Amino acid sequence: MRGISKSFHGIPANQDISFSIESGEILGLLGENGAGKTTLMNILYGLYQPDAGEIRINDAPVRIHNPLESIALGIGMVHQHFMLIQNHSVLENIALSHKDTPFFFPTVKIREKLENFSASFDFNIDLTKKIWQLSAGEQQRVEIIKALLNGADLLILDEPTSVLTPQEIKELISILKEMKAKGHMVIFISHKLDEIMDICDRVLVLQKGKIAGSALTRDTDKISLARMMVGRDVVFNIQREKIDRGNQILSVEHLNVMGDKGLPVLKDISFEVFENEIFGVAGVSGNGQRELAEAVTGIRKAESGKIRINDRDITNTSPRHIYDQGVSHVPEERIRFGIAPGLFLYDNAILKQHHLKKFSKRYFLKYKDVKDHAKNLMDDFNVSAHSIHSQIRNLSGGNIQKLILGREISEKPQLLVASHPTYGLDVGATEFMRNHLLELRKTGSAVLLFSEDLEEIFELCDRIAVIFDGEFMAILDSGDRRLNDIGLMMAGSKRI
Ligand SMILES: Nc1ncnc2c1ncn2[C@@H]1O[C@H](COP(=O)(O)OP(=O)(O)OP(=O)(O)O)[C@@H](O)[C@H]1O
Ligand SMILES: [Mg+2]
């Protein structure tokens, strides 16, 4: 790509960007939230047209008007938010996107192709399963298969690991290394510096739409990359003061919950969360975390057991009723449940809160108050967007996340249920949000935090439950020496 520039409504997202990638290379793309990474890759994939600059493949200039053309040129992309059809099977999804799927008996032909193909790459996936039955890692493998089967020489992965479990990340890395060995090229976007250092040959750093620098991973380190990205030294400064916990806010007793597949996913879970406490649930994703968050916030039915907020029974009452008891929720799948993508930023700033007195009078929204609130949220949580009138789907991934967190935190909830609050955030924003969670704790809220990131769990939590296969293996105080065994407990091989 040479001299690429792109503006939206007169505001530059990419400015004069030039870089190249060669066969067998894995290039990392790094930059703060809103730096222009996704935009640049969308241009390469033909989703956007650049205002200036050109793309060359094998030294010949090409114009890419849409993804069909980029696929024909051997470019594939796995988006930050997956684009699979949930009610179709893996095979049907692959057939739908394949460039020469026949009109008659489409899946028969594709199955043949896939069988030849899986002889050369090792994807371990059941083709007959429906997409909704797959874990995030499996869905991502489907996206990668789609791209490779279309003959991608260059694969673009936009934050591929933020939704994966550590095991799935390992599997992804081995697929990428296999691709590299076969001469494919990969562009890999991530906020996790360890991963970039581990996977990539070279890194390109964007800052506010421009190239801030590039380096071979063997000649650089995490600290220099972070400095290049932010333009200053990044020092993680998170301090959890000792605070005595207050009254009990949440109590869960003998909770049993069924999963989407009609099998029990939570088995006899009991715990409490108190004021001034962050209670962490550590575990490999898919062990019941999502169902627990959904049961507490009223999205999923409890088969048996009791859930109480401030001693009031809220078991199987409506999400709205539970919200009115002071329970906020940062959901795991934020594009599906956390926002209304087609609405404006200011509408999204009060989602679920539109019935509150401060925002509505009789049946009408008080638009001035709503908009003021949205502006304050943007300022307080560094949400970078064109204006409060932007459609939320045009915000960068990390900025959507900041808006959701800001909205839920700013309500000063009695209980915040937060699933992976720092997914997709850059290093600076991660530190900022973790400090906000500690501030909530200090001012008397209770926080139920789900995370796979052990560093995050250890940094923030007063007590930590380890979940495996729908059961708590143990509930430990921070500082408990048995925390050394947390990895074993997460794998289910130890109960204390
Ligand atoms: N379709 C669009 N319309 C208007 N503005 C857009 C559009 N797409 C991107 N932008 C703006 O361009 C800027 C760069 O966004 P981009 O999504 O490329 O960032 P990013 O580096 O991928 O960030 P993140 O790490 O948060 O995903 C942002 O300010 C965003 O709001
Ligand atoms: Mg992005």
Side-chain angles (χ1 to χ4, degrees):
M1 298 184 92
R2 287 194 189 169
I4 299 286
S5 295
K6 175 76 183 172
S7 299
F8 295 103
H9 316 293
I11 298 174
N14 287 159
Q15 292 183 63
D16 195 22
I17 295 183
S18 303
F19 74 94
S20 58
I21 175 166
E22 44 191 70
S23 149
E25 188 175 34
I26 303 185
L27 178 70
L29 191 55
L30 197 62
E32 288 182 287
N33 295 129
K37 305 177 295 292
T38 300
T39 303
L40 184 67
M41 292 302 110
N42 281 342
I43 292 174
L44 184 55
Y45 193 55
L47 282 169
Y48 293 150
Q49 294 303 305
D51 302 333
E54 66 169 4
I55 303 173
R56 297 174 85 95
I57 296 181
N58 290 328
D59 229 18
V62 290
R63 289 206 64 110
I64 307 175
H65 299 95
N66 54 53
L68 283 177
E69 293 183 12
S70 64
I71 289 168
L73 288 164
I75 300 171
M77 181 160 176
V78 178
H79 294 273
Q80 198 161 357
H81 310 292
F82 300 149
M83 300 189 170
L84 298 168
I85 304 173
Q86 296 287 325
N87 278 328
H88 284 207
S89 72
V90 172
L91 192 60
E92 287 161 345
N93 264 278
I94 295 175
L96 268 173
S97 75
H98 192 57
K99 57 182 180 188
D100 12 84
T101 298
F103 187 74
F104 294 105
F105 307 113
T107 49
V108 178
K109 187 73 186 284
I110 292 297
R111 185 186 286 274
E112 266 170 34
K113 275 203 151 190
L114 266 172
E115 274 158 13
N116 294 334
F117 179 75
S118 56
S120 58
F121 277 103
D122 182 23
F123 293 99
N124 169 15
I125 207 151
D126 180 352
L127 295 176
T128 58
K129 273 197 179 167
K130 304 267 191 252
I131 298 300
W132 61 266
Q133 296 174 311
L134 303 183
S135 75
E138 290 171 318
Q139 293 194 31
Q140 186 181 59
R141 285 206 290 270
V142 177
E143 294 276 19
I144 297 179
I145 297 174
K146 265 168 58 181
L148 292 180
L149 203 65
N150 276 328
D153 299 318
L154 168 62
L155 183 65
I156 303 165
L157 296 168
D158 195 353
E159 288 185 44
T161 58
S162 52
V163 290
L164 301 189
T165 64
Q167 179 54 33
E168 289 173 328
I169 292 177
K170 273 195 203 131
E171 289 164 18
L172 174 69
I173 293 178
S174 76
I175 291 174
L176 296 184
K177 295 207 161 142
E178 221 175 307
M179 290 181 60
K180 176 182 159 69
K182 294 197 163 81
H184 292 273
M185 298 169 273
V186 179
I187 300 182
F188 184 89
I189 301 180
S190 174
H191 291 293
K192 298 182 191 161
L193 298 171
D194 287 317
E195 260 169 40
I196 293 261
M197 291 297 290
D198 183 25
I199 300 172
C200 302
D201 302 303
R202 195 158 54 93
V203 197
L204 190 67
V205 182
L206 293 188
Q207 194 191 20
K208 299 194 170 68
K210 296 186 188 150
I211 289 194
S214 85
L216 293 172
T217 41
R218 72 169 117 85
D219 298 338
T220 189
D221 54 39
K222 286 200 299 180
I223 295 171
S224 333
L225 287 178
R227 193 186 302 127
M228 219 188 275
M229 187 166 73
V230 194
R232 61 175 167 84
D233 277 334
V234 189
V235 266
F236 273 93
N237 186 11
I238 305 251
Q239 265 154 22
R240 189 160 48 92
E241 298 166 39
K242 199 165 162 23
I243 308 180
D244 290 332
R245 69 190 192 190
N247 298 325
Q248 176 179 303
I249 299 286
L250 170 70
S251 113
V252 173
E253 275 172 38
H254 304 294
L255 178 66
N256 286 285
V257 168
M258 295 290 226
D260 291 335
K261 299 169 194 169
L263 297 170
V265 273
L266 290 178
K267 301 160 201 162
D268 199 31
I269 296 276
S270 299
F271 65 102
E272 301 86 37
V273 189
F274 297 83
E275 287 172 337
N276 309 97
E277 181 181 49
I278 301 184
F279 184 94
V281 179
V284 173
S285 122
N287 277 293
Q289 292 95 321
R290 173 151 59 115
E291 290 81 0
L292 180 53
E294 289 177 351
V296 171
T297 52
I299 306 171
R300 184 176 293 267
K301 198 172 150 271
E303 294 298 317
S304 62
K306 284 265 171 288
I307 305 175
R308 293 193 182 86
I309 300 286
N310 283 325
D311 246 354
R312 189 174 297 165
D313 188 352
I314 54 135
T315 323
N316 293 334
T317 58
S318 72
R320 164 85 162 263
H321 175 75
I322 295 176
Y323 176 80
D324 289 339
Q325 309 301 310
V327 179
S328 285
H329 184 204
V330 177
E332 185 167 307
E333 287 192 58
R334 39 198 118 275
I335 302 298
R336 262 166 77 199
F337 300 115
I339 55 165
L343 294 185
F344 297 120
L345 191 155
Y346 64 79
D347 294 313
N348 276 281
I350 60 154
L351 221 61
K352 292 191 296 183
Q353 300 163 3
H354 51 270
H355 61 292
L356 300 183
K357 274 210 183 65
K358 59 182 177 181
F359 297 131
S360 74
K361 194 168 174 189
R362 305 235 177 114
Y363 296 108
F364 299 101
L365 279 180
K366 299 195 267 190
Y367 269 108
K368 187 174 175 310
D369 296 335
V370 170
K371 289 178 178 179
D372 286 346
H373 174 70
K375 279 194 196 111
N376 291 337
L377 270 188
M378 281 182 72
D379 290 347
D380 295 348
F381 292 90
N382 302 328
V383 180
S384 102
H386 185 47
S387 79
I388 57 164
H389 299 277
S390 300
Q391 274 193 4
I392 195 92
R393 67 157 76 100
N394 290 339
L395 264 61
S396 85
N399 281 300
I400 293 177
Q401 175 68 355
K402 289 192 218 168
L403 185 77
I404 297 175
L405 268 163
R407 180 183 73 206
E408 302 298 321
I409 290 176
S410 66
E411 278 304 293
K412 290 254 172 297
Q414 298 248 357
L415 172 71
L416 172 70
V417 179
S419 297
H420 316 292
T422 58
Y423 262 8
L425 296 184
D426 63 46
V427 280
T430 298
E431 181 194 3
F432 178 82
M433 284 302 175
R434 287 184 186 166
N435 277 323
H436 259 291
L437 293 177
L438 288 173
E439 187 60 31
L440 267 186
R441 162 185 184 262
K442 195 167 157 185
T443 50
S445 298
V447 179
L448 175 58
L449 175 82
F450 295 88
S451 182
E452 276 168 53
D453 182 343
L454 285 181
E455 185 191 298
E456 178 158 286
I457 290 266
F458 288 149
E459 223 165 54
L460 297 180
C461 298
D462 300 290
R463 286 185 303 143
I464 300 166
V466 186
I467 194 167
F468 175 76
D469 196 18
E471 292 180 65
F472 280 171
M473 305 300 283
I475 297 178
L476 305 170
D477 286 328
S478 72
D480 190 315
R481 289 179 50 208
R482 290 173 295 171
L483 283 172
N484 291 330
D485 292 334
I486 197 165
L488 289 174
M489 286 186 251
M490 282 167 68
S493 66
K494 192 156 186 168
R495 183 194 286 272
I496 300 176

